[in-house]
């Protein structure tokens, strides 16, 4: 009787051990599935990161080209501004000189007319 009870206890213990083993295997499989899920997510994120880095490189190169173009165009505009300013200043001086010359001519014309009238009156 004692032997039968011992065999029964051992059989029950063996069944429990098998259940633990099965549960442990299931847990390991679950962990592996979750790990694979995380691994796929990592691969997806790394792919997106590489794409963004490439886009960033392209945009950075474009920005550098635009900055260079802007610098050249701003320098060109500044040259235009300087030339326009100098030309307007020179034009202003020409206008002043023309006005002065016109006044001088009118005064001389009046003087010549007066002198002619004086000469004609004598």
């Amino acid at each position: 009787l004692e032997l039968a009870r011992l065999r029964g206890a051992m059989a029950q213990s063996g069944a429990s051990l098998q259940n633990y083993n099965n549960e442990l295997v299931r847990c390991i499989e679950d962990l592996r599935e979750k790990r694979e899920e995380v691994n796929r997510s990592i691969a997806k994120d790394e792919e997106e990161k590489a794409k963004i880095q490439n886009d960033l490189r392209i945009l950075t190169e474009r920005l550098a080209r635009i900055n260079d173009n802007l610098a050249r165009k701003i320098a060109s505009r500044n040259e235009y501004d300087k030339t326009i300013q100098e030309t307007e200043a020179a034009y202003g001086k020409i206008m002043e000189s023309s006005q002065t010359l016109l006044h001088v001519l009118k005064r001389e014309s009046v003087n010549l007319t007066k002198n002619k009238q004086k000469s004609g009156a004598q």
Side-chain angles (χ1 to χ4, degrees):
L1 186 68
E2 191 62 32
L3 188 58
R5 218 177 350 181
L6 186 60
R7 283 184 185 164
M10 284 180 65
Q12 192 176 10
S13 181
S16 290
L17 194 57
Q18 187 61 41
N19 286 340
Y20 292 149
N21 185 45
N22 289 342
E23 193 172 333
L24 185 59
V25 168
R26 263 194 314 275
C27 285
I28 290 171
E29 286 174 0
D30 284 348
L31 290 173
R32 284 191 174 147
E33 284 177 24
K34 287 177 182 174
R35 181 209 175 271
E36 190 52 38
E37 195 176 302
V38 170
N39 194 45
R40 282 191 298 270
S41 181
I42 288 170
K44 183 181 169 194
D45 288 351
E46 286 176 340
E47 187 179 320
E48 185 178 0
K49 175 186 170 188
K51 182 191 177 306
I52 289 171
Q53 284 177 323
N54 187 53
D55 291 349
L56 183 60
R57 180 188 56 79
I58 290 168
L59 289 173
T60 301
E61 289 171 3
R62 267 180 68 191
L63 181 61
R65 280 195 305 273
I66 288 171
N67 281 336
D68 289 345
N69 286 339
L70 269 174
R72 278 194 298 276
K73 287 175 183 177
I74 288 170
S76 178
R77 182 185 64 191
N78 291 343
E79 284 297 315
Y80 277 112
D81 288 345
K82 180 180 170 195
T83 301
I84 289 168
Q85 203 171 26
E86 289 171 353
T87 303
E88 286 175 341
Y91 180 71
K93 288 179 183 176
I94 289 169
M95 291 303 289
E96 282 179 38
S97 295
S98 295
Q99 193 175 16
T100 303
L101 180 59
L102 184 59
H103 288 306
V104 168
L105 279 174
K106 283 182 179 178
R107 188 176 61 231
E108 289 300 316
S109 178
V110 167
N111 289 340
L112 284 173
T113 303
K114 284 181 185 176
N115 287 342
K116 187 177 176 185
Q117 288 173 354
K118 281 184 187 178
S119 318
Q122 290 179 357

